[in-house]
Amino acid sequence: MVDVAKRIVLLGAPGSGKGTQAALLAEALEILAISTGEMLRAAVAAGSELGEQVESILNSGDLVDDATMADVVSERLARADAQRGFVLDGYPRTVAQFDTLAAMLGEAGYSLDAVVQVEVPETELVRRALARQRADDTKEVIMKRLRIYEENTAPLVDLYRERGLLRTIDGDQSIGAVAAAIQASLEEAA
Ligand code: AMP
């Protein structure tokens, strides 16, 4: 693949497939995929201090507080394997988290290269989330997550657009077609 953006955020509602796409994109670009949801679930599974702190929040579908997330992400981005670039999945989820990320990258002399929004109709999001049925995926929690996404994370879209970072992809296609569209959108911008 030609030289493309290396510090990328994947944005999408719960069930949009952004986790799958983040992993595929990171593999294609030979950079790291960082999923904050996976990191938090791993912390819960490991019974770490962080895990104990966030377990009930994860189960309820609420967001973990911005300060805790800043610690989690800054620690991860500081590691050697993140220096070549990364695809962030699940962060930032609030405007405050975006400001934190921009500051973290700025301190290291970097900036965000691109934001890819994976768009999927809500009926399809609910269908997929129910089909996935993780322990924390009850219908009530799924609907709550979608509402929280609309309230907290959707406003980031305007901010990304204003900064010229946003590419929007139709996520209601096969995994391979979405992956190809994401890569094409990044090449166009490179
Ligand atoms: P995800 O797998 O990205 O849907 O994340 C699962 C859960 O982890 C979310 O419902 C939140 O409780 C928590 N979480 C993950 N990333 C963040 C974040 N950036 N800010 C706050 N909470 C988060």
Side-chain angles (χ1 to χ4, degrees), residues 13-15 18 35-38 40-41 54 57-66 69 73 89-94 97 132 134 136 141 145 148:
K18 71 180 161 33
S35 158
T36 49
E38 260 174 40
L40 296 174
R41 281 190 290 278
V54 302
I57 301 172
L58 255 65
N59 290 338
S60 73
D62 283 324
L63 294 182
V64 174
D65 68 279
D66 290 338
M69 293 311 302
V73 171
D89 158 23
Y91 191 94
R93 258 184 163 85
T94 64
Q97 291 183 7
R132 188 170 58 183
R134 260 192 330 238
D136 54 353
V141 171
R145 284 209 173 96
I148 289 176

Side-chain angles (χ1 to χ4, degrees), residues 6-150:
K6 295 287 192 197
R7 287 176 183 78
I8 301 164
V9 166
L10 269 199
L11 186 70
S16 62
K18 71 180 161 33
T20 302
Q21 294 298 334
L24 290 173
L25 181 61
E27 197 184 329
L29 298 181
E30 297 180 356
I31 54 180
L32 197 68
I34 299 175
S35 158
T36 49
E38 260 174 40
M39 288 175 74
L40 296 174
R41 281 190 290 278
V44 171
S48 69
E49 199 179 314
L50 171 67
E52 283 182 13
Q53 185 195 329
V54 302
E55 183 167 13
S56 63
I57 301 172
L58 255 65
N59 290 338
S60 73
D62 283 324
L63 294 182
V64 174
D65 68 279
D66 290 338
T68 300
M69 293 311 302
D71 288 346
V72 168
V73 171
S74 67
E75 189 272 331
R76 188 67 194 89
L77 291 186
R79 282 197 237 157
D81 59 356
Q83 302 317 304
R84 286 192 56 237
F86 53 78
V87 181
L88 263 179
D89 158 23
Y91 191 94
R93 258 184 163 85
T94 64
V95 174
Q97 291 183 7
F98 170 78
D99 291 337
T100 301
L101 176 66
M104 269 185 238
L105 291 178
E107 273 170 32
Y110 300 126
S111 58
L112 207 56
D113 294 319
V115 176
V116 179
Q117 180 189 23
V118 180
E119 252 186 351
V120 175
E122 181 163 322
T123 47
E124 175 63 11
L125 292 174
V126 174
R127 194 196 64 74
R128 288 186 191 180
L130 286 173
R132 188 170 58 183
Q133 282 289 344
R134 260 192 330 238
D136 54 353
D137 280 347
T138 62
K139 176 131 193 187
E140 194 179 287
V141 171
I142 290 164
M143 296 312 293
K144 183 171 173 186
R145 284 209 173 96
L146 286 175
R147 273 201 315 278
I148 289 176
Y149 177 81
E150 282 306 321

